[in-house]
Amino acid sequence: MPVAYDSAGNTSNARNEVASLVRRGSASAYFALLKKHLVEAVRNSLKSVTPKKLFLGVATVVVILLFGRNIKDILLVAALGIAASYSTIYKRTIRVPSAVEMVTFGTVITGAAYGPLVGALFGVITTIASEIISSGVDVNTLFYAIARGIAGGLARTMVVSLGWSVVVAGMAAMVIFHLVSDFIYVISGGIEAVPKIIYFIIVNTLFNLLVFAFFGNLVLSVALL
C-alpha cells in the first residue's frame, strides 16, 4: 500500500508538472503573440508618421509647453500657425515663388505679443512646415527658416522697445527675410534667379502690406489681451 501511495503521488505530481508546463507554454505563446502585435502596431504607426504630421505635432507640443492652459493664446497661435503652414500649399500645383504667404504675419504677431523665443520658434517651425506641405523643400529652406527666426526674435523689440507700428515691423521683418534669403538665392541660382527675386519682392511686399494694414493691429490686440 505505501508503494501504491507513492506511485499515485508521483503520478499526481507528474500531471501537475505537465499542466504547469502547458500553462507556461500557453503564457509564452500568448506573450509572444502579444509582442508580435505590438511590434507591428509600432511599425504601422511609424509608417503613418509623415514629415507634415511630425512638424504639426512638434508645433502643438511647443505651443502647449509655452502657453500652458491659456486657451486663448493656444487657439490664436494655433490658428496663425495653421494659416502660415498652409498658406503656400498652392505651390503643389502652381510652381511659382511663394510670394503670397502668411508666415511673415504670424511670425511678427507672435514675436511682438509673446516675446523673441516664441516669435523665433514660430518663424522657424512654420517656415519649414509650409515648405514641406507645399512640397517645396530644397537647399534654401534652412536659410528661409533662419531669416524668419531672426525676424520673429526681433519683432518684440521693434514693436515694444522701439515703438514701431505693427505695419512697419512687418515690413522690417520682410527686409530681414529678403536680405538673408535673396542673397543665398542669388548665389545658388546666379543671374537667372534675379527675375524671380524681383517678382517675389514686389508681390510679397504688396500682399503683406495689405495683410498687416488691415489685420495687424486687430490680431495683435487680441494676442495682448
Side-chain angles (χ1 to χ4, degrees), residues 85-221:
S85 299
Y86 282 89
S87 61
T88 60
I89 196 171
Y90 59 85
K91 286 178 61 180
R92 285 185 174 182
T93 54
I94 307 174
R95 305 307 297 180
V96 295
S98 53
V100 176
E101 46 80 21
M102 293 293 292
V103 181
T104 304
F105 181 78
T107 299
V108 172
I109 294 298
T110 54
Y114 306 116
L117 176 60
V118 177
L121 287 175
F122 185 96
V124 171
I125 292 174
T126 56
T127 297
I128 297 176
S130 67
E131 291 288 297
I132 292 174
I133 292 171
S134 63
S135 302
V137 177
D138 56 24
V139 294
N140 297 312
T141 299
L142 177 62
F143 299 103
Y144 298 159
I146 292 173
R148 290 257 170 66
I150 294 173
L154 294 176
R156 189 172 184 86
T157 298
M158 291 187 287
V159 173
V160 177
S161 301
L162 298 178
W164 293 359
S165 69
V166 68
V167 177
V168 174
M171 296 303 100
M174 290 181 55
V175 171
I176 294 171
F177 174 78
H178 289 299
L179 285 176
V180 176
S181 62
D182 293 349
F183 176 73
I184 301 299
Y185 199 74
V186 170
I187 291 177
S188 61
I191 192 66
E192 296 178 357
V194 173
K196 291 183 179 180
I197 291 175
I198 294 175
Y199 159 82
F200 184 91
I201 291 175
I202 293 174
V203 176
N204 190 238
T205 300
L206 291 175
F207 177 79
N208 275 284
L209 183 60
L210 291 173
V211 172
F212 276 100
F214 282 99
F215 302 106
N217 288 325
L218 174 63
V219 178
L220 182 59
S221 298

